[in-house]
Amino acid sequence: MKKIIIALLVITTLVLFFFTVYMALTTPKTQQNTTLISTITPYPGSTKTFPKSKELSSYIKTTVGSTTDKEVETIAGRKNKITLPDGSTEYTFESINLSSNDTIVTKNNTVVFEKANTIDSSYTHPRLSEYVTRYGKADAEFTGSKTYGKFTKTYVYATRGFALIANPYTEEINEIHSFLPQSIDSYVKTWGSDIKTFTEEDEEKL
Amino acid sequence: MARNQLKLLLVFLLVLTISFSLFVPTTYGQSFAEKTTRVGDPQTFSAGPKTQAPPVDPQNIRSEIRDKFGINMIGFGQQQMQWAWEKLWDVSHTNFVKLLHPKPTIININRINEGYSSQLGPTEINLKNYEDETLFKVIFIHELGHIIYWYNDDKISHQTEHNNLHKRGLSATRYGATDKTENYPEMITYYLNPGKTEQTLFSQAVVPFANGRNPEYFNLAKAILGDY
């Protein structure tokens, strides 16, 4: 009787042992559950994989200092055309982003400014870091945007003639501005009307 | 003697096997013991039925909230932390917690006694120690909703889609009408707090998504968070 019990014990132990080893080694990993927040898996589709970004210039339809009014008027999707107080002409165009129209400004029959949204129909944006790598650090950064909110930044490459408006946390670029190279102050005064420094007055009221 | 040694060896092997299977994580990522004692698991972000918050030792509630949800409640009363614990479990079957952490971070929520609750940055919030449970839970989720807006790609947060609705003159609440970056967390919080009237300064005893109200924002919230 004793021998039978011992034998059963041995068999049970060995079966249990090898079963556990088998389960541990052969079942594919699903996901780690841990109480450590640092190991949380990023949400699928997170910023880990960047799509290949288009050239920034591909968003811009004109060449500042060169494209004429006549050429601008051939661009499709125009919404409006007005004359500004200083005599320049502002054209606005359809955009996927209803908060900010694509805009072209001409003066003396030549484009002096263009603003283009960089969001495509699948809501993909180009990434800031790719352009910092290509163009270097911006000449100036301003935090706060009337259109996009208090954390959005305007990165001004004044001497290169462009500026980027982007979410610094996701690095998604919302807009590109193209203009004749100028000083930072000149850009802010002439084309930087969207820049806004948020104060306590603007804060939430909850 | 050999027999006794064999018995000892067998007993040792048995104990080892049982310990191994109970307490060492398998390739599932959890040990058997862990799996059977854990009520729900927000960090796996799995869809499913709502989960009731498990009881928690009040002494440990702050560390439990931090460990399970990545949120550090600083300076809050026991009651408020209990409400936060309940609400986070209540929404844990949606994408809410996952969207708070697109990168591994800890969100710090600082208690304030004066002024207004607000988001200071992508991982920092000031929150008043509201004494009303509904108000606390609504504002708690609202402030965290700001983080979803700012900290996730547009494709995931649906920020541009939301802003386009707002540009068309639509808003989830009267407070949301004042600013699109406030409307977004209003949409989130009232989706996750159904049946609650507007709790903000512009309260007019309206339940934002009741009776099919604001279907565009309701559907957008559902697309972002999943079923509540």
Side-chain angles (χ1 to χ4, degrees), chain A residues 45 47 96-97 118-120 122-125 127 148 167 170 172-174, chain B residues 148-164 184 220 224:
Chain A
T47 58
I96 196 168
N97 175 11
T118 53
I119 308 165
D120 71 18
S122 66
Y123 303 108
T124 302
H125 303 230
R127 301 282 174 176
Y148 299 103
N167 177 334
T170 63
E172 291 181 311
I173 299 171
N174 295 314
Chain B
I148 296 175
Y149 180 90
W150 283 105
Y151 217 23
N152 286 276
D153 287 355
D154 196 352
K155 281 188 171 191
I156 294 166
S157 67
H158 294 251
Q159 191 184 100
T160 298
E161 286 176 79
H162 165 271
N163 293 347
N164 284 350
Y184 187 95
L220 190 59
I224 296 164

Side-chain angles (χ1 to χ4, degrees), chain A residues 10 13-14 17, chain B residues 7-18:
Chain A
V10 168
T13 304
L14 288 171
F17 180 77
Chain B
K7 282 180 194 173
L8 271 170
L9 183 66
L10 280 172
V11 168
F12 175 73
L13 206 58
L14 189 63
V15 169
L16 190 70
T17 305
I18 292 168

